[in-house]
């Protein structure tokens, strides 16, 4: 089954404790991205990657890091999480070169930072 | 003014009603227009995709884009309780722009 997977699905952590949220897709998509979704603010892009070793900032990159060492994986790293990073996070992927912009989203990771 | 405006609702309708969901935008460079449906506790899934202006129909769903008015719509005919979800509009410019801009989403409730 073609899908985007994320782990963990739920995470409660404390301020300053480094964490990584993994994302993997099995559709051989070049483009991957991370979003956060907050009430009243909608979906906002954190980082995106056009291909392996190519990443760029989205609208709200502060406090986050990403890496793209393999085509299928795109982990999101919070080096020192803070309470304002409590949110619902989605990973997404899509093919490039098709002229289309639709993305396939993962199931989400609900992060709480206390 | 936000780049994409979408009324968050909730919009509550009886089963069988025609639903109209809308977004307005300010960036005239947007060429790709999408509607995503998001069920509670799930990730968004693509529902409709339209390039430039015009209409697109898929079953009970019709997407309309009016670039002159910077206004897009999603119509749902014969709405069903299973259509209850949050609907997000999204749009992006062409020419390699890969950062889509999403609306805040409209919560739709279809009651039996």
């Amino acid at each position: 089954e073609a899908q985007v997977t994320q782990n963990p699905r739920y995470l409660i952590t404390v301020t300053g404790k480094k964490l990584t949220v993994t994302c993997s897709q099995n559709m051989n998509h070049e483009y991957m991205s991370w979003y956060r979704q907050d009430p009243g603010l909608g979906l906002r892009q954190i980082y995106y990657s056009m291909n392996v070793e190519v990443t760029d900032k989205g609208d709200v990159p502060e406090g986050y890091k990403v890496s793209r060492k393999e085509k299928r994986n795109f982990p999101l790293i919070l080096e020192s999480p803070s309470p304002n990073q409590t949110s619902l996070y989605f990973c997404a992927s899509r093919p490039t070169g098709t002229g289309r912009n639709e993305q396939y989203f993962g199931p989400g990771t609900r992060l709480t930072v206390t | 003014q936000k780049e994409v405006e979408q009324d968050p609702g909730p919009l509550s309708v009886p089963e069988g009603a025609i639903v109209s969901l809308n977004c307005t935008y300010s960036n005239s460079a947007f060429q790709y227009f999408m509607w995503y449906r998001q069920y509670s506790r799930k990730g968004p899934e693509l529902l409709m995709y339209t390039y430039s202006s015009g209409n697109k129909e898929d079953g009970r769903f019709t997407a309309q884009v009016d670039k002159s008015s910077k206004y897009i719509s999603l119509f749902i005919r014969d709405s069903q309780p299973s259509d209850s979800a949050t609907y997000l509009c999204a749009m992006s410019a062409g020419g390699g722009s890969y950062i889509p801009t999403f609306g805040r989403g409209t919560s739709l409730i279809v009651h039996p």
Side-chain angles (χ1 to χ4, degrees):
Chain A
E1 179 189 355
Q3 60 182 348
V4 179
T5 57
Q6 295 178 226
N7 281 292
R9 295 289 313 280
Y10 301 91
L11 179 59
I12 301 174
T13 190
V14 296
T15 299
K17 185 177 182 180
K18 181 180 179 179
L19 66 92
T20 299
V21 184
T22 65
C23 172
S24 183
Q25 51 94 4
N26 62 2
M27 294 170 280
N28 202 36
H29 288 168
E30 293 85 5
Y31 176 85
M32 297 184 73
S33 60
W34 276 102
Y35 293 85
R36 60 179 290 173
Q37 188 175 38
D38 302 288
L41 296 176
L43 274 169
R44 294 178 294 168
Q45 193 174 57
I46 302 170
Y47 268 94
Y48 67 97
S49 170
M50 295 294 296
N51 214 323
V52 176
E53 302 292 1
V54 181
T55 63
D56 208 346
K57 297 176 180 178
D59 295 324
V60 288
E62 294 77 21
Y64 304 95
K65 285 177 58 177
V66 293
S67 69
R68 187 89 181 275
K69 299 191 184 307
E70 304 168 283
K71 196 173 186 179
R72 62 182 294 131
N73 296 323
F74 190 44
L76 179 69
I77 303 157
L78 285 72
E79 294 270 5
S80 183
S82 62
N84 65 11
Q85 293 178 298
T86 292
S87 188
L88 179 58
Y89 291 87
F90 290 102
C91 180
S93 74
R94 72 172 182 86
T96 56
T98 64
R100 296 170 64 92
N101 262 308
E102 69 270 34
Q103 298 186 77
Y104 299 84
F105 284 83
T109 294
R110 185 167 292 281
L111 172 65
T112 302
V113 184
T114 61
Chain B
Q1 181 190 11
K2 290 177 68 68
E3 209 168 16
V4 177
E5 297 279 2
Q6 184 176 12
D7 188 331
L11 177 62
S12 182
V13 301
E15 182 175 356
I18 296 174
V19 175
S20 173
L21 303 166
N22 311 294
C23 287
T24 59
Y25 63 95
S26 58
N27 187 345
S28 58
F30 288 149
Q31 296 185 57
Y32 300 90
F33 303 92
M34 292 143 282
W35 286 96
Y36 287 83
R37 178 175 61 196
Q38 185 177 17
Y39 290 115
S40 181
R41 302 182 186 280
K42 300 283 188 182
E45 57 178 339
L46 183 70
L47 194 60
M48 297 287 284
Y49 172 92
T50 309
Y51 171 71
S52 193
S53 285
N55 294 0
K56 186 173 183 178
E57 187 173 321
D58 184 2
R60 297 185 294 111
F61 299 90
T62 300
Q64 284 187 354
V65 175
D66 182 348
K67 291 186 70 178
S68 63
S69 301
K70 297 188 177 67
Y71 188 89
I72 70 171
S73 301
L74 178 70
F75 297 97
I76 307 174
R77 292 183 298 280
D78 187 26
S79 57
Q80 303 295 310
S82 58
D83 294 327
S84 297
T86 296
Y87 291 80
L88 303 114
C89 64
M91 46 199 81
S92 64
S97 168
Y98 293 104
I99 303 182
T101 301
F102 284 82
R104 293 186 298 168
T106 298
S107 175
L108 172 66
I109 302 167
V110 182
H111 51 87

